[in-house]
Amino acid sequence: MAEHPHAAQIRRGYAAFSAGDMDTLRGMMTSDCTHHVPGSHQLSGDMKGIDAVLGYYGQLAAQTNGTLRVELRDTFVDGRGHVISVHRTTAERGGKKIDMAGGIVFRIVGDKITDLDECVADMAASDEFWA
């Protein structure tokens, strides 16, 4: 069975993120996309607009001295523009390490990502790591 186009799109996005290919990511998202980051730490909140979203991704790399790794585990689609990803995140920062499951609920309109709602397995551990 062929993979749903939205699942394939999200896989391409994860590959681009992992490669630091911000141009590809820019082309996959609407100019007014929003990435919602959970928690109560310095990087949490709503990143509104493609420049803010890509700036957030740059901060993830900068804050972890390039150690951040996100391994896509699976995708789930509903055929109506929603994709749920499940991934594993590892990183080091300021003598702290994180190894946590998480995911993102994507909203796709046409062929562009409009919203990314990020979820983490352990909010307290995520807040502590990014504090």
Side-chain angles (χ1 to χ4, degrees):
M1 186 183 308
E3 182 174 46
H4 190 279
H6 290 159
Q9 179 179 9
I10 297 310
R11 287 186 191 285
R12 284 192 307 276
Y14 269 83
F17 178 88
S18 293
D21 183 354
M22 297 301 120
D23 290 335
T24 293
L25 290 174
R26 182 178 294 278
M28 297 178 74
M29 299 179 191
T30 60
S31 62
D32 63 346
C33 68
T34 302
H35 189 135
H36 308 276
V37 180
S40 57
H41 53 79
Q42 63 177 335
L43 297 178
S44 64
D46 295 335
M47 311 310 148
K48 297 179 182 180
I50 189 67
D51 292 332
V53 171
L54 297 180
Y56 164 64
Y57 299 161
Q59 280 297 309
L60 293 173
Q63 292 287 326
T64 62
N65 292 317
T67 64
L68 180 77
R69 300 287 178 265
V70 180
E71 176 189 343
L72 181 62
R73 296 286 175 95
D74 215 340
T75 59
F76 304 95
V77 300
D78 71 354
R80 298 178 297 113
H82 298 99
V83 179
I84 299 172
S85 67
V86 177
H87 59 248
R88 176 178 172 233
T89 301
T90 58
E92 295 181 22
R93 179 175 179 273
K96 298 181 276 188
K97 293 183 180 185
I98 196 165
D99 184 343
M100 183 181 302
I104 300 175
V105 179
F106 294 88
R107 174 74 174 138
I108 300 172
V109 176
D111 65 348
K112 300 279 187 170
I113 298 166
T114 63
D115 287 281
L116 303 91
D117 290 298
E118 188 175 335
C119 301
V120 296
D122 185 336
M123 188 77 65
S126 179
D127 283 343
E128 171 59 27
F129 179 78
W130 294 108

